[in-house]
Amino acid sequence: MSGPGDVLDLIRERRAFTRGDVLEVTGLSRMTVATRIDALLEAGLIIESGTEKVTAGRPSRRLEFNTAHAHVIAASVNTTHTTVALTDLAGQVVAEDRVDVAVADGPDATLDAIAQHAARLLDDAGITRDAVAAIALSIPGPVDPDTDRPSQPPIMPGWDAYPIPDHLNGALGVPVLVSNDADAAALGEQRAAHPGSRALCFIKVSSGIGTGIVLGGRVYRGADGGAGDIGHVKISGHGDLLCQCGARGCLAAAASGRAVARSLTALGKPAASASDVGAYLADGDPDAASLTQEAGRLIGEVVATVVSLLNPSEVVLGGMLASPPLLAGVRETLYPRSLPRATRHLSISQSTLGEKATVVGLAAMVVEREYSASAVNAALARV
């Protein structure tokens, strides 16, 4: 245990709730623990609140990470629009704006709009830049974990290797973090709805199809950020369908929100996007339900391989098409195509957080980076 940041890790990760817990977990002396906790209290990184029952003696004060210590600007870029939110460190939204800018408009236009709306949210809330831990941005494509730049995103023309962190840092003057949207939503679901999960897969079905994977409480991104990109797995029987990535026969070409919208339009029910399909589903349209369930069957065929490979305890469905018909379709094909051994402890459910999952996940990513043990130890050493 090299410093107060390591103690903060124990408190943030709920491995220690009281000073006594820190003593027991670390084996440090009582004076050393007191010094490190006092440093965290003085810096406003933790608070003592209420009491925690003990078996003998006086109740101990409960130690908690101070989620009001700073704010996060969380920006979720979708294919047709972007949402910019101002949150605390737990992902609780203070204020938010919808920005009518599409990824097809290119990175400059999108990022400039995000910066303008973020600045306005801060000004309206009376929050200064030095009270912002970071701006966290999610995009519908792979992100290189070493550079925080898009890595050949199939449905984001003009974005490949674009220096998003440099652009936003120059505009706002705060640290920048960039994530794939399904990765962020997966972490948000794990943190808020399945904190005990050792392996969780979040399947986002909107304009495209992607998977966020959380193993041992950490997002698994793969070698260069491409893990979970199941939307471009080729499926048999659909080789005539052209995908946005330029290839034919991709899962996304047959089962994404865009694909269902195309099928609905062919039935005389105009739909241009996944959000239009979502609106039909919300209204109980039987054709939208039937087509979405069929899309779920195709998705279930691919996710069965994911389940057999990773053996998750949770598969969570999110995105614009997340609905009972999608859930039913995935279950219809996933279970028959998977070994009973791989699914005996598996739960397949619809997201309970909806669009908030991405915001919660982005805030969690900021905390993991900006309030890591090493970052806190370095910061407090300079005080």
Side-chain angles (χ1 to χ4, degrees):
M1 300 297 290
S2 59
D6 300 272
V7 174
L8 180 62
D9 268 359
L10 296 177
I11 296 168
R12 281 199 305 105
E13 296 172 3
R14 298 179 180 179
R15 290 185 285 149
F17 296 94
T18 67
R19 291 172 183 253
D21 291 341
V22 177
L23 281 167
E24 183 177 347
V25 171
T26 64
L28 296 171
S29 70
R30 189 174 298 275
M31 180 174 291
T32 299
V33 168
T35 299
R36 293 181 179 179
I37 289 177
D38 287 346
L40 294 172
L41 286 167
E42 186 176 348
L45 292 170
I46 62 172
I47 55 176
E48 284 188 301
S49 63
T51 58
E52 187 77 8
K53 291 182 179 180
V54 295
T55 55
R58 294 183 302 172
S60 298
R61 297 274 285 171
R62 185 181 180 90
L63 301 172
E64 297 178 0
F65 177 53
N66 183 12
T67 58
H69 179 263
H71 290 83
V72 172
I73 300 167
S76 176
V77 177
N78 295 289
T79 54
T80 58
H81 69 280
T82 292
T83 301
V84 181
L86 181 63
T87 81
D88 65 11
L89 295 177
Q92 293 295 314
V93 175
V94 176
E96 66 180 349
D97 263 349
R98 177 186 166 106
V99 186
D100 290 323
V101 61
V103 292
D105 295 328
D108 288 325
T110 302
L111 298 175
D112 285 345
I114 289 171
Q116 291 167 8
H117 282 258
R120 189 175 71 189
L121 287 177
L122 290 173
D123 290 343
D124 289 348
I127 296 171
T128 59
R129 302 293 195 278
D130 58 6
V132 177
I135 176 169
L137 181 87
S138 68
I139 62 171
V143 175
D144 189 317
D146 295 325
T147 65
D148 265 6
R149 296 186 179 194
S151 178
Q152 299 182 358
I155 62 173
M156 301 177 69
W159 286 77
D160 184 36
Y162 188 88
I164 294 174
D166 296 340
H167 191 126
L168 288 177
N169 181 262
L172 294 169
V174 298
V176 180
L177 180 152
V178 186
S179 169
N180 167 262
D181 56 356
D183 287 347
L187 188 62
E189 287 286 342
Q190 190 271 332
R191 289 288 194 271
H194 306 278
S197 175
R198 287 183 289 185
L200 177 146
C201 294
F202 178 87
I203 314 297
K204 182 175 181 180
V205 188
S206 287
S207 295
I209 302 173
T211 302
I213 303 166
V214 179
L215 304 176
R218 298 288 182 265
V219 173
Y220 176 73
R221 295 181 173 86
D224 63 0
D229 199 7
I230 66 170
H232 302 286
V233 171
K234 303 299 182 290
I235 54 174
S236 62
H238 297 275
D240 59 323
L241 297 178
L242 180 65
C243 182
Q244 280 185 287
C245 72
R248 291 184 181 275
C250 295
L251 176 65
S256 67
R258 189 182 298 270
V260 175
R262 182 180 64 243
S263 298
L264 272 173
T265 300
L267 293 176
K269 296 181 176 179
S273 65
S275 59
D276 290 339
V277 177
Y280 277 114
L281 289 169
D283 288 341
D285 182 85
D287 290 323
S290 177
L291 290 168
T292 298
Q293 186 164 348
E294 176 55 32
R297 294 186 189 104
L298 293 175
I299 294 168
E301 292 180 12
V302 176
V303 177
T305 300
V306 175
V307 166
S308 296
L309 179 66
L310 296 178
N311 186 212
S313 53
E314 286 84 25
V315 167
V316 182
L317 304 179
M320 292 293 183
L321 264 65
S323 59
L326 184 74
L327 185 63
V330 169
R331 284 174 168 163
E332 281 182 49
T333 53
L334 188 155
Y335 282 107
R337 289 172 177 264
S338 304
L339 287 173
R341 171 66 182 78
T343 59
R344 61 178 177 172
H345 298 303
L346 177 66
S347 167
I348 306 175
S349 62
Q350 189 176 329
S351 169
T352 57
L353 298 182
E355 292 187 5
K356 292 181 181 178
T358 302
V359 172
V360 173
L362 289 173
M365 289 178 175
V366 168
V367 170
E368 285 181 355
R369 189 180 75 177
E370 300 298 320
Y371 296 90
S372 66
S374 58
V376 171
N377 288 337
L380 294 185
R382 294 193 296 268
V383 177

